[in-house]
Amino acid sequence: MNSNPTDSQAFKAAVRTHWDAAARGWDGHSPAIRAWLRGSTDAMMAMAGVVPGARVLDVAAGAGDQTLDLAERVGPAGAVLATDLSPAIVALAQERARRAGFRQVQCRAADGEDLQVEAASFDAAVCRLGLMLFPNPLQGLREMHRALRPGGGVCTVVFSAPARNPCVTALMATALRHSGLPARDPFAPGSLFSLGQPRRIDALFLEAGFHDVATTAVDAVFRLPSVDDYLAFVRSSASPILQILAGLSEAQAEAAWNDVREQLRAFDTPTGWEGPNELLITAARRP
Ligand SMILES: C[S@@+](CC[C@H](N)C(=O)[O-])C[C@H]1O[C@@H](n2cnc3c(N)ncnc32)[C@H](O)[C@@H]1O
């Protein structure tokens, strides 16, 4: 896909359409997402060097959950530009920033592989759970590199290996099986685990020109009252899964959801539901 610009544009058009449709669901689950990603978000901001007064680029910002944290950290003397491929989701980020009174936040629809920002104009860049969805993540990293001033810091968060993320793996496998589709290469470009192979993401950062590249694997357990709360989140906002199920009738899709619910009950605990996830946090610096 990387070598064929037409395929890449068609892929991104589909991604945009599906995230436009999932935008309200993702936004509506912000409190759960926020709690799930609290530790990785704090680490990401610290590793990228987000400090008071900094100018920060937020790539694939979604509905702006981490954008609000960035705005808080840089304070009124700083600036945050939140960008996302989906105009619908980035409009929600803008609305949340406005409601929170963060005048230092600007939001703009932009492909992470072609950001249209001035070169060397940011002190730090972050991308939380977005880079793995790019058909050409190397180009996304090159764009962040170009946007950073020399010495500027970058930090991304992506899913690690399929075996370390059993809920996502079960969702993908069940959706494909019920849709009559063959199993897919879990590491295919643009897929949820595309950057989950050991050392793959480090190699891309180095190829993009970054120095001091370091990746840390962190646990990010999704804790919710019940498996049905997790499924409610996935059903309204997990665009890659919904994209696979889009061709099924209502009854067929319901059978797929029932099947996956039974599998995910394996993560019921006496106090609620705890879905294991592992994320890779990669930090680096533009020389
Ligand atoms: C899982 S959501 C994460 C959103 C947000 N960063 C968060 O953590 O809440 C993935 C986001 O990546 C965006 N995305 C996917 N491909 C993109 C691309 N090529 N350029 C920019 N954004 C992209 C989607 O539109 C979606 O908003």
Side-chain angles (χ1 to χ4, degrees), residues 141 158-161 187 194-207 213-217 280 282:
L141 289 172
V158 300
F159 283 109
S160 74
F187 305 115
S194 65
L195 300 176
Q197 280 168 308
R199 287 183 283 283
R200 163 115 178 100
I201 194 158
D202 292 43
L204 289 177
F205 268 76
L206 290 168
E207 198 177 339
V213 179
T215 294
T216 314
L280 299 180
T282 306

Side-chain angles (χ1 to χ4, degrees), residues 27-42:
D27 186 42
H29 284 87
S30 284
I33 295 168
R34 193 169 184 74
W36 171 39
L37 299 176
R38 183 68 273 149
S40 13
T41 306
D42 288 343

Side-chain angles (χ1 to χ4, degrees), residues 12 15 19 26 33 37 60-62 65-66 84-86 89 110-113 128-130 133-135:
K12 281 189 264 195
V15 169
W19 277 102
W26 191 265
I33 295 168
L37 299 176
D65 180 56
Q66 73 290 305
D84 196 281
L85 186 65
S86 154
I89 207 164
D111 177 0
E113 296 179 9
R128 190 182 83 174
L129 287 186
L133 302 175
F134 292 16

Side-chain angles (χ1 to χ4, degrees), residues 40-41 43-49 57 124-128 144 148 153-157 205 210 214 280-284:
S40 13
T41 306
M44 175 182 81
M45 293 193 293
M47 288 182 189
L57 174 63
V126 300
C127 183
R128 190 182 83 174
M144 285 192 257
L148 284 173
V154 61
C155 192
T156 65
V157 178
F205 268 76
F210 286 110
L280 299 180
I281 306 187
T282 306

Side-chain angles (χ1 to χ4, degrees), residues 111-204:
D111 177 0
E113 296 179 9
D114 180 17
L115 285 166
Q116 305 281 336
V117 297
E118 204 183 316
S121 56
F122 292 92
D123 302 305
V126 300
C127 183
R128 190 182 83 174
L129 287 186
L131 189 65
M132 69 278 173
L133 302 175
F134 292 16
N136 187 347
L138 174 60
Q139 177 57 26
L141 289 172
R142 286 191 168 129
E143 275 294 88
M144 285 192 257
H145 185 279
R146 191 182 64 77
L148 284 173
R149 63 161 169 78
V154 61
C155 192
T156 65
V157 178
V158 300
F159 283 109
S160 74
R164 306 288 300 164
N165 293 279
C167 304
V168 179
T169 304
L171 282 163
M172 290 294 291
T174 309
L176 288 169
R177 191 157 28 81
H178 279 260
S179 303
L181 297 169
R184 289 183 186 166
D185 171 6
F187 305 115
S191 65
L192 286 166
F193 296 122
S194 65
L195 300 176
Q197 280 168 308
R199 287 183 283 283
R200 163 115 178 100
I201 194 158
D202 292 43
L204 289 177

Side-chain angles (χ1 to χ4, degrees), residues 22 24-26 28-29 32 171 222 224 226-238 242 257 260-261 264 273:
R24 289 223 165 265
W26 191 265
H29 284 87
L171 282 163
F222 213 140
L224 289 165
S226 75
V227 67
D228 286 319
D229 293 298
Y230 182 65
L231 286 176
F233 158 67
V234 174
R235 292 183 74 150
S236 67
S237 63
L242 302 176
W257 291 117
V260 85
R261 175 185 292 107
L264 294 179
W273 184 86

